[in-house]
PDB file of all heavy atoms in Angstrom:
ATOM      1  N   PHE B  62      53.019   9.749  56.901  1.00  0.00           N
ATOM      2  CA  PHE B  62      52.437  10.917  57.452  1.00  0.00           C
ATOM      3  C   PHE B  62      51.426  11.511  56.415  1.00  0.00           C
ATOM      4  O   PHE B  62      51.660  11.425  55.222  1.00  0.00           O
ATOM      5  CB  PHE B  62      53.433  11.986  57.762  1.00  0.00           C
ATOM      6  CG  PHE B  62      54.328  11.643  58.929  1.00  0.00           C
ATOM      7  CD1 PHE B  62      55.531  10.969  58.711  1.00  0.00           C
ATOM      8  CD2 PHE B  62      53.948  12.070  60.234  1.00  0.00           C
ATOM      9  CE1 PHE B  62      56.334  10.672  59.783  1.00  0.00           C
ATOM     10  CE2 PHE B  62      54.821  11.747  61.295  1.00  0.00           C
ATOM     11  CZ  PHE B  62      56.022  11.049  61.078  1.00  0.00           C
ATOM     12  N   GLU B  63      50.315  12.064  56.961  1.00  0.00           N
ATOM     13  CA  GLU B  63      49.334  12.707  56.078  1.00  0.00           C
ATOM     14  C   GLU B  63      48.815  13.986  56.726  1.00  0.00           C
ATOM     15  O   GLU B  63      48.808  14.119  57.998  1.00  0.00           O
ATOM     16  CB  GLU B  63      48.132  11.828  55.882  1.00  0.00           C
ATOM     17  CG  GLU B  63      48.367  10.517  55.082  1.00  0.00           C
ATOM     18  CD  GLU B  63      47.111   9.752  54.859  1.00  0.00           C
ATOM     19  OE1 GLU B  63      46.138   9.949  55.614  1.00  0.00           O
ATOM     20  OE2 GLU B  63      47.078   8.928  53.959  1.00  0.00           O
ATOM     21  N   ALA B  64      48.407  14.907  55.928  1.00  0.00           N
ATOM     22  CA  ALA B  64      47.725  16.124  56.413  1.00  0.00           C
ATOM     23  C   ALA B  64      46.804  16.644  55.309  1.00  0.00           C
ATOM     24  O   ALA B  64      47.196  16.634  54.139  1.00  0.00           O
ATOM     25  CB  ALA B  64      48.748  17.199  56.806  1.00  0.00           C
ATOM     26  N   THR B  65      45.599  17.044  55.671  1.00  0.00           N
ATOM     27  CA  THR B  65      44.598  17.526  54.719  1.00  0.00           C
ATOM     28  C   THR B  65      44.351  18.984  54.930  1.00  0.00           C
ATOM     29  O   THR B  65      44.145  19.465  56.071  1.00  0.00           O
ATOM     30  CB  THR B  65      43.312  16.727  54.845  1.00  0.00           C
ATOM     31  OG1 THR B  65      43.575  15.376  54.571  1.00  0.00           O
ATOM     32  CG2 THR B  65      42.291  17.219  53.809  1.00  0.00           C
ATOM     33  N   TYR B  66      44.421  19.768  53.864  1.00  0.00           N
ATOM     34  CA  TYR B  66      44.172  21.226  53.920  1.00  0.00           C
ATOM     35  C   TYR B  66      42.701  21.455  54.043  1.00  0.00           C
ATOM     36  O   TYR B  66      41.918  21.282  53.120  1.00  0.00           O
ATOM     37  CB  TYR B  66      44.719  21.767  52.567  1.00  0.00           C
ATOM     38  CG  TYR B  66      44.761  23.279  52.389  1.00  0.00           C
ATOM     39  CD1 TYR B  66      45.641  23.796  51.432  1.00  0.00           C
ATOM     40  CD2 TYR B  66      44.017  24.150  53.098  1.00  0.00           C
ATOM     41  CE1 TYR B  66      45.754  25.157  51.271  1.00  0.00           C
ATOM     42  CE2 TYR B  66      44.041  25.478  52.879  1.00  0.00           C
ATOM     43  CZ  TYR B  66      44.929  26.023  51.949  1.00  0.00           C
ATOM     44  OH  TYR B  66      45.019  27.344  51.733  1.00  0.00           O
ATOM     45  N   ARG B  67      42.271  21.935  55.201  1.00  0.00           N
ATOM     46  CA  ARG B  67      40.824  22.176  55.533  1.00  0.00           C
ATOM     47  C   ARG B  67      40.618  23.660  55.602  1.00  0.00           C
ATOM     48  O   ARG B  67      40.918  24.313  56.582  1.00  0.00           O
ATOM     49  CB  ARG B  67      40.469  21.498  56.880  1.00  0.00           C
ATOM     50  CG  ARG B  67      40.676  20.038  56.944  1.00  0.00           C
ATOM     51  CD  ARG B  67      39.673  19.296  56.129  1.00  0.00           C
ATOM     52  NE  ARG B  67      39.763  17.855  56.334  1.00  0.00           N
ATOM     53  CZ  ARG B  67      39.267  16.918  55.525  1.00  0.00           C
ATOM     54  NH1 ARG B  67      38.643  17.321  54.405  1.00  0.00           N
ATOM     55  NH2 ARG B  67      39.367  15.667  55.814  1.00  0.00           N
ATOM     56  N   LYS B  68      40.083  24.240  54.488  1.00  0.00           N
ATOM     57  CA  LYS B  68      39.867  25.697  54.450  1.00  0.00           C
ATOM     58  C   LYS B  68      38.787  26.094  55.438  1.00  0.00           C
ATOM     59  O   LYS B  68      38.855  27.125  56.056  1.00  0.00           O
ATOM     60  CB  LYS B  68      39.562  26.073  53.047  1.00  0.00           C
ATOM     61  CG  LYS B  68      39.425  27.613  52.790  1.00  0.00           C
ATOM     62  CD  LYS B  68      39.331  27.889  51.334  1.00  0.00           C
ATOM     63  CE  LYS B  68      39.229  29.406  51.077  1.00  0.00           C
ATOM     64  NZ  LYS B  68      37.984  29.959  51.544  1.00  0.00           N
ATOM     65  N   GLU B  69      37.761  25.287  55.557  1.00  0.00           N
ATOM     66  CA  GLU B  69      36.604  25.641  56.381  1.00  0.00           C
ATOM     67  C   GLU B  69      36.961  25.748  57.876  1.00  0.00           C
ATOM     68  O   GLU B  69      36.383  26.521  58.623  1.00  0.00           O
ATOM     69  CB  GLU B  69      35.467  24.646  56.162  1.00  0.00           C
ATOM     70  CG  GLU B  69      35.730  23.219  56.622  1.00  0.00           C
ATOM     71  CD  GLU B  69      36.431  22.395  55.566  1.00  0.00           C
ATOM     72  OE1 GLU B  69      36.938  22.954  54.579  1.00  0.00           O
ATOM     73  OE2 GLU B  69      36.487  21.172  55.747  1.00  0.00           O
ATOM     74  N   THR B  70      37.945  24.930  58.288  1.00  0.00           N
ATOM     75  CA  THR B  70      38.384  25.034  59.688  1.00  0.00           C
ATOM     76  C   THR B  70      39.769  25.617  59.837  1.00  0.00           C
ATOM     77  O   THR B  70      40.293  25.679  60.928  1.00  0.00           O
ATOM     78  CB  THR B  70      38.393  23.629  60.326  1.00  0.00           C
ATOM     79  OG1 THR B  70      39.252  22.745  59.481  1.00  0.00           O
ATOM     80  CG2 THR B  70      36.990  23.043  60.413  1.00  0.00           C
ATOM     81  N   THR B  71      40.348  26.144  58.756  1.00  0.00           N
ATOM     82  CA  THR B  71      41.677  26.699  58.670  1.00  0.00           C
ATOM     83  C   THR B  71      42.660  25.811  59.457  1.00  0.00           C
ATOM     84  O   THR B  71      43.406  26.258  60.333  1.00  0.00           O
ATOM     85  CB  THR B  71      41.741  28.165  59.183  1.00  0.00           C
ATOM     86  OG1 THR B  71      41.354  28.232  60.575  1.00  0.00           O
ATOM     87  CG2 THR B  71      40.917  29.047  58.358  1.00  0.00           C
ATOM     88  N   SER B  72      42.634  24.554  59.073  1.00  0.00           N
ATOM     89  CA  SER B  72      43.542  23.609  59.809  1.00  0.00           C
ATOM     90  C   SER B  72      44.350  22.707  58.800  1.00  0.00           C
ATOM     91  O   SER B  72      44.004  22.558  57.648  1.00  0.00           O
ATOM     92  CB  SER B  72      42.667  22.689  60.657  1.00  0.00           C
ATOM     93  OG  SER B  72      41.826  21.877  59.881  1.00  0.00           O
ATOM     94  N   PHE B  73      45.380  22.126  59.338  1.00  0.00           N
ATOM     95  CA  PHE B  73      46.294  21.293  58.578  1.00  0.00           C
ATOM     96  C   PHE B  73      46.962  20.301  59.521  1.00  0.00           C
ATOM     97  O   PHE B  73      48.144  20.302  59.741  1.00  0.00           O
ATOM     98  CB  PHE B  73      47.299  22.142  57.800  1.00  0.00           C
ATOM     99  CG  PHE B  73      48.076  21.383  56.717  1.00  0.00           C
ATOM    100  CD1 PHE B  73      47.448  20.734  55.708  1.00  0.00           C
ATOM    101  CD2 PHE B  73      49.511  21.420  56.738  1.00  0.00           C
ATOM    102  CE1 PHE B  73      48.146  20.088  54.697  1.00  0.00           C
ATOM    103  CE2 PHE B  73      50.199  20.779  55.753  1.00  0.00           C
ATOM    104  CZ  PHE B  73      49.580  20.116  54.706  1.00  0.00           C
ATOM    105  N   HIS B  74      46.144  19.447  60.103  1.00  0.00           N
ATOM    106  CA  HIS B  74      46.598  18.565  61.191  1.00  0.00           C
ATOM    107  C   HIS B  74      47.458  17.393  60.604  1.00  0.00           C
ATOM    108  O   HIS B  74      47.079  16.799  59.622  1.00  0.00           O
ATOM    109  CB  HIS B  74      45.387  17.949  61.913  1.00  0.00           C
ATOM    110  CG  HIS B  74      44.479  18.968  62.519  1.00  0.00           C
ATOM    111  ND1 HIS B  74      44.964  20.173  63.083  1.00  0.00           N
ATOM    112  CD2 HIS B  74      43.135  19.012  62.636  1.00  0.00           C
ATOM    113  CE1 HIS B  74      43.909  20.868  63.515  1.00  0.00           C
ATOM    114  NE2 HIS B  74      42.775  20.171  63.250  1.00  0.00           N
ATOM    115  N   LEU B  75      48.534  17.088  61.298  1.00  0.00           N
ATOM    116  CA  LEU B  75      49.439  16.037  60.848  1.00  0.00           C
ATOM    117  C   LEU B  75      49.006  14.721  61.544  1.00  0.00           C
ATOM    118  O   LEU B  75      48.797  14.693  62.763  1.00  0.00           O
ATOM    119  CB  LEU B  75      50.903  16.387  61.207  1.00  0.00           C
ATOM    120  CG  LEU B  75      51.965  15.386  60.799  1.00  0.00           C
ATOM    121  CD1 LEU B  75      52.072  15.372  59.295  1.00  0.00           C
ATOM    122  CD2 LEU B  75      53.303  15.709  61.465  1.00  0.00           C
ATOM    123  N   GLU B  76      48.949  13.654  60.773  1.00  0.00           N
ATOM    124  CA  GLU B  76      48.556  12.341  61.325  1.00  0.00           C
ATOM    125  C   GLU B  76      49.459  11.246  60.788  1.00  0.00           C
ATOM    126  O   GLU B  76      50.026  11.359  59.723  1.00  0.00           O
ATOM    127  CB  GLU B  76      47.113  12.049  60.940  1.00  0.00           C
ATOM    128  CG  GLU B  76      46.096  12.953  61.504  1.00  0.00           C
ATOM    129  CD  GLU B  76      44.687  12.575  61.121  1.00  0.00           C
ATOM    130  OE1 GLU B  76      44.535  11.882  60.113  1.00  0.00           O
ATOM    131  OE2 GLU B  76      43.755  12.938  61.844  1.00  0.00           O
ATOM    132  N   LYS B  77      49.672  10.226  61.660  1.00  0.00           N
ATOM    133  CA  LYS B  77      50.351   9.011  61.218  1.00  0.00           C
ATOM    134  C   LYS B  77      49.728   7.843  62.013  1.00  0.00           C
ATOM    135  O   LYS B  77      49.497   7.929  63.201  1.00  0.00           O
ATOM    136  CB  LYS B  77      51.826   9.056  61.487  1.00  0.00           C
ATOM    137  CG  LYS B  77      52.553   7.901  60.896  1.00  0.00           C
ATOM    138  CD  LYS B  77      54.041   7.957  61.081  1.00  0.00           C
ATOM    139  CE  LYS B  77      54.743   6.781  60.341  1.00  0.00           C
ATOM    140  NZ  LYS B  77      56.230   6.796  60.508  1.00  0.00           N
ATOM    141  N   GLY B  78      49.461   6.811  61.279  1.00  0.00           N
ATOM    142  CA  GLY B  78      48.679   5.685  61.848  1.00  0.00           C
ATOM    143  C   GLY B  78      49.488   4.846  62.908  1.00  0.00           C
ATOM    144  O   GLY B  78      48.973   4.348  63.843  1.00  0.00           O
ATOM    145  N   SER B  79      50.839   4.796  62.719  1.00  0.00           N
ATOM    146  CA  SER B  79      51.636   3.952  63.570  1.00  0.00           C
ATOM    147  C   SER B  79      53.043   4.539  63.654  1.00  0.00           C
ATOM    148  O   SER B  79      53.790   4.392  62.673  1.00  0.00           O
ATOM    149  CB  SER B  79      51.699   2.528  62.989  1.00  0.00           C
ATOM    150  OG  SER B  79      52.512   1.682  63.774  1.00  0.00           O
ATOM    151  N   VAL B  80      53.309   5.208  64.750  1.00  0.00           N
ATOM    152  CA  VAL B  80      54.627   5.876  64.831  1.00  0.00           C
ATOM    153  C   VAL B  80      55.772   4.921  65.192  1.00  0.00           C
ATOM    154  O   VAL B  80      55.512   3.867  65.823  1.00  0.00           O
ATOM    155  CB  VAL B  80      54.573   7.036  65.819  1.00  0.00           C
ATOM    156  CG1 VAL B  80      53.644   8.148  65.333  1.00  0.00           C
ATOM    157  CG2 VAL B  80      54.164   6.594  67.237  1.00  0.00           C
ATOM    158  N   GLN B  81      56.955   5.300  64.867  1.00  0.00           N
ATOM    159  CA  GLN B  81      58.165   4.514  65.179  1.00  0.00           C
ATOM    160  C   GLN B  81      59.061   5.388  66.043  1.00  0.00           C
ATOM    161  O   GLN B  81      58.974   6.615  66.016  1.00  0.00           O
ATOM    162  CB  GLN B  81      58.858   4.100  63.853  1.00  0.00           C
ATOM    163  CG  GLN B  81      58.019   3.339  62.874  1.00  0.00           C
ATOM    164  CD  GLN B  81      57.376   2.070  63.497  1.00  0.00           C
ATOM    165  OE1 GLN B  81      58.149   1.281  64.091  1.00  0.00           O
ATOM    166  NE2 GLN B  81      56.125   1.831  63.395  1.00  0.00           N
ATOM    167  N   VAL B  82      60.013   4.743  66.727  1.00  0.00           N
ATOM    168  CA  VAL B  82      60.988   5.455  67.502  1.00  0.00           C
ATOM    169  C   VAL B  82      61.685   6.503  66.620  1.00  0.00           C
ATOM    170  O   VAL B  82      62.003   7.625  67.089  1.00  0.00           O
ATOM    171  CB  VAL B  82      61.961   4.503  68.213  1.00  0.00           C
ATOM    172  CG1 VAL B  82      63.067   5.248  68.884  1.00  0.00           C
ATOM    173  CG2 VAL B  82      61.206   3.580  69.176  1.00  0.00           C
ATOM    174  N   SER B  83      61.970   6.120  65.376  1.00  0.00           N
ATOM    175  CA  SER B  83      62.710   7.000  64.463  1.00  0.00           C
ATOM    176  C   SER B  83      61.971   8.225  64.087  1.00  0.00           C
ATOM    177  O   SER B  83      62.503   9.154  63.491  1.00  0.00           O
ATOM    178  CB  SER B  83      63.141   6.207  63.222  1.00  0.00           C
ATOM    179  OG  SER B  83      62.000   5.704  62.597  1.00  0.00           O
ATOM    180  N   ASP B  84      60.666   8.296  64.408  1.00  0.00           N
ATOM    181  CA  ASP B  84      59.904   9.513  64.160  1.00  0.00           C
ATOM    182  C   ASP B  84      60.057  10.606  65.187  1.00  0.00           C
ATOM    183  O   ASP B  84      59.584  11.754  65.024  1.00  0.00           O
ATOM    184  CB  ASP B  84      58.404   9.166  64.038  1.00  0.00           C
ATOM    185  CG  ASP B  84      58.076   8.255  62.905  1.00  0.00           C
ATOM    186  OD1 ASP B  84      58.705   8.424  61.791  1.00  0.00           O
ATOM    187  OD2 ASP B  84      57.171   7.423  63.014  1.00  0.00           O
ATOM    188  N   SER B  85      60.782  10.266  66.269  1.00  0.00           N
ATOM    189  CA  SER B  85      61.022  11.231  67.306  1.00  0.00           C
ATOM    190  C   SER B  85      61.775  12.436  66.704  1.00  0.00           C
ATOM    191  O   SER B  85      62.883  12.303  66.164  1.00  0.00           O
ATOM    192  CB  SER B  85      61.864  10.641  68.433  1.00  0.00           C
ATOM    193  OG  SER B  85      61.124   9.620  69.064  1.00  0.00           O
ATOM    194  N   ALA B  86      61.176  13.629  66.846  1.00  0.00           N
ATOM    195  CA  ALA B  86      61.719  14.819  66.217  1.00  0.00           C
ATOM    196  C   ALA B  86      60.830  15.991  66.612  1.00  0.00           C
ATOM    197  O   ALA B  86      59.892  15.836  67.368  1.00  0.00           O
ATOM    198  CB  ALA B  86      61.763  14.668  64.687  1.00  0.00           C
ATOM    199  N   VAL B  87      61.190  17.169  66.074  1.00  0.00           N
ATOM    200  CA  VAL B  87      60.298  18.325  66.240  1.00  0.00           C
ATOM    201  C   VAL B  87      59.644  18.587  64.888  1.00  0.00           C
ATOM    202  O   VAL B  87      60.317  18.646  63.877  1.00  0.00           O
ATOM    203  CB  VAL B  87      61.092  19.585  66.702  1.00  0.00           C
ATOM    204  CG1 VAL B  87      60.134  20.783  66.881  1.00  0.00           C
ATOM    205  CG2 VAL B  87      61.817  19.299  67.978  1.00  0.00           C
ATOM    206  N   TYR B  88      58.353  18.790  64.926  1.00  0.00           N
ATOM    207  CA  TYR B  88      57.540  19.008  63.760  1.00  0.00           C
ATOM    208  C   TYR B  88      57.013  20.412  63.731  1.00  0.00           C
ATOM    209  O   TYR B  88      56.470  20.981  64.685  1.00  0.00           O
ATOM    210  CB  TYR B  88      56.335  18.008  63.679  1.00  0.00           C
ATOM    211  CG  TYR B  88      56.883  16.589  63.557  1.00  0.00           C
ATOM    212  CD1 TYR B  88      57.316  15.893  64.630  1.00  0.00           C
ATOM    213  CD2 TYR B  88      56.868  15.988  62.268  1.00  0.00           C
ATOM    214  CE1 TYR B  88      57.818  14.560  64.474  1.00  0.00           C
ATOM    215  CE2 TYR B  88      57.363  14.710  62.137  1.00  0.00           C
ATOM    216  CZ  TYR B  88      57.853  13.998  63.220  1.00  0.00           C
ATOM    217  OH  TYR B  88      58.330  12.772  62.976  1.00  0.00           O
ATOM    218  N   PHE B  89      57.211  21.098  62.527  1.00  0.00           N
ATOM    219  CA  PHE B  89      56.809  22.501  62.370  1.00  0.00           C
ATOM    220  C   PHE B  89      55.751  22.561  61.259  1.00  0.00           C
ATOM    221  O   PHE B  89      55.973  22.040  60.168  1.00  0.00           O
ATOM    222  CB  PHE B  89      58.008  23.336  61.955  1.00  0.00           C
ATOM    223  CG  PHE B  89      59.053  23.521  63.047  1.00  0.00           C
ATOM    224  CD1 PHE B  89      60.080  22.650  63.077  1.00  0.00           C
ATOM    225  CD2 PHE B  89      58.954  24.578  63.946  1.00  0.00           C
ATOM    226  CE1 PHE B  89      61.080  22.781  64.125  1.00  0.00           C
ATOM    227  CE2 PHE B  89      59.931  24.722  64.884  1.00  0.00           C
ATOM    228  CZ  PHE B  89      60.947  23.880  64.999  1.00  0.00           C
ATOM    229  N   CYS B  90      54.676  23.295  61.589  1.00  0.00           N
ATOM    230  CA  CYS B  90      53.684  23.574  60.593  1.00  0.00           C
ATOM    231  C   CYS B  90      54.053  24.976  60.058  1.00  0.00           C
ATOM    232  O   CYS B  90      54.534  25.856  60.820  1.00  0.00           O
ATOM    233  CB  CYS B  90      52.290  23.610  61.242  1.00  0.00           C
ATOM    234  SG  CYS B  90      50.906  23.856  60.129  1.00  0.00           S
ATOM    235  N   ALA B  91      53.819  25.196  58.746  1.00  0.00           N
ATOM    236  CA  ALA B  91      54.215  26.490  58.132  1.00  0.00           C
ATOM    237  C   ALA B  91      53.189  26.842  57.029  1.00  0.00           C
ATOM    238  O   ALA B  91      52.553  25.895  56.449  1.00  0.00           O
ATOM    239  CB  ALA B  91      55.630  26.397  57.583  1.00  0.00           C
ATOM    240  N   LEU B  92      53.076  28.063  56.753  1.00  0.00           N
ATOM    241  CA  LEU B  92      52.273  28.526  55.628  1.00  0.00           C
ATOM    242  C   LEU B  92      53.007  29.553  54.810  1.00  0.00           C
ATOM    243  O   LEU B  92      53.869  30.272  55.303  1.00  0.00           O
ATOM    244  CB  LEU B  92      50.921  29.074  56.105  1.00  0.00           C
ATOM    245  CG  LEU B  92      50.875  30.394  56.836  1.00  0.00           C
ATOM    246  CD1 LEU B  92      50.813  31.585  55.857  1.00  0.00           C
ATOM    247  CD2 LEU B  92      49.611  30.443  57.704  1.00  0.00           C
ATOM    248  N   GLY B  93      52.617  29.586  53.517  1.00  0.00           N
ATOM    249  CA  GLY B  93      53.220  30.658  52.648  1.00  0.00           C
ATOM    250  C   GLY B  93      52.044  31.260  51.796  1.00  0.00           C
ATOM    251  O   GLY B  93      51.372  30.433  51.151  1.00  0.00           O
ATOM    252  N   SER B  94      51.905  32.558  51.827  1.00  0.00           N
ATOM    253  CA  SER B  94      50.894  33.193  51.037  1.00  0.00           C
ATOM    254  C   SER B  94      51.590  33.918  49.887  1.00  0.00           C
ATOM    255  O   SER B  94      52.459  34.754  50.100  1.00  0.00           O
ATOM    256  CB  SER B  94      50.143  34.260  51.887  1.00  0.00           C
ATOM    257  OG  SER B  94      49.405  33.561  52.846  1.00  0.00           O
ATOM    258  N   GLY B  95      51.160  33.613  48.693  1.00  0.00           N
ATOM    259  CA  GLY B  95      51.660  34.333  47.523  1.00  0.00           C
ATOM    260  C   GLY B  95      53.171  34.320  47.468  1.00  0.00           C
ATOM    261  O   GLY B  95      53.766  33.244  47.510  1.00  0.00           O
ATOM    262  N   TYR B  96      53.747  35.456  47.430  1.00  0.00           N
ATOM    263  CA  TYR B  96      55.227  35.542  47.352  1.00  0.00           C
ATOM    264  C   TYR B  96      55.866  35.977  48.669  1.00  0.00           C
ATOM    265  O   TYR B  96      57.014  36.340  48.757  1.00  0.00           O
ATOM    266  CB  TYR B  96      55.655  36.498  46.233  1.00  0.00           C
ATOM    267  CG  TYR B  96      55.392  35.892  44.878  1.00  0.00           C
ATOM    268  CD1 TYR B  96      54.240  36.150  44.198  1.00  0.00           C
ATOM    269  CD2 TYR B  96      56.323  35.004  44.315  1.00  0.00           C
ATOM    270  CE1 TYR B  96      53.992  35.571  42.975  1.00  0.00           C
ATOM    271  CE2 TYR B  96      56.102  34.430  43.070  1.00  0.00           C
ATOM    272  CZ  TYR B  96      54.918  34.729  42.418  1.00  0.00           C
ATOM    273  OH  TYR B  96      54.667  34.154  41.208  1.00  0.00           O
TER     274      TYR B  96
END
Side-chain angles (χ1 to χ4, degrees):
Chain B
F62 290 90
E63 294 182 340
T65 301
Y66 188 158
R67 300 287 187 199
K68 186 171 182 290
E69 63 276 13
T70 55
T71 61
S72 65
F73 193 55
H74 304 324
L75 182 68
E76 297 181 336
K77 187 175 186 182
S79 176
V80 293
Q81 305 300 312
V82 172
S83 57
D84 294 326
S85 297
V87 181
Y88 292 81
F89 292 91
C90 186
L92 71 83
S94 294
Y96 288 94

